[in-house]
Amino acid sequence: MAKARSKLPRALGWFSVGLGITELLGAWNLLRFFGISRGDKLVRGYGARELAAGVALLGPAKKRPWLWARVAGDALDLATMGKGLKEPGVRKGRLIAATGAVAGITLLDIYAAARA
């Protein structure tokens, strides 16, 4: 169990790196996919946050603070996605599905942070 627990922060780190790069380089495309017409700078900022957390989780730094940073970022993401549901022209099905995925990752992040 301890070995699996030690691999989870690294896996979440790689996930953060991938998501961060996607948000940094593809902010406009992500927003367009969800039918949202503005907010690319915000998405890029979220991408930078994800990338920083991911790099820290992959490095020698203590994992626990960065795992809790991911949880805080998840809360911000969920709040932003909830607000996005009110946007005119939003593709609600897609955004609701993505919100569900983020909620699931949030639970995993909380578990990893609590166990670190």
Side-chain angles (χ1 to χ4, degrees):
M1 182 76 155
K3 192 172 191 174
R5 210 181 313 153
S6 67
K7 288 184 180 185
L8 184 55
R10 186 165 180 78
L12 290 170
W14 280 114
F15 179 79
S16 281
V17 167
L19 181 58
I21 290 170
T22 300
E23 289 175 330
L24 279 169
L25 299 179
W28 188 82
N29 289 326
L30 283 170
L31 290 169
R32 187 170 156 204
F33 176 79
F34 292 116
I36 299 172
S37 60
R38 59 183 185 201
D40 59 312
K41 290 179 185 176
L42 181 65
V43 173
R44 284 190 188 95
Y46 288 1
R49 179 200 73 217
E50 284 288 346
L51 192 55
V55 168
L57 287 170
L58 294 172
K62 290 185 177 185
K63 307 301 182 222
R64 189 171 191 177
W66 291 101
L67 291 166
W68 283 115
R70 279 188 46 82
V71 172
D74 293 341
L76 190 58
D77 293 344
L78 289 167
T80 303
M81 294 169 101
K83 187 175 186 276
L85 286 169
K86 298 175 186 172
E87 289 281 323
V90 70
R91 295 181 173 134
K92 288 188 180 186
R94 290 179 180 185
L95 192 54
I96 289 169
T99 302
V102 171
I105 291 293
T106 301
L107 293 175
L108 192 58
D109 286 337
I110 291 169
Y111 172 78
R115 304 290 283 176

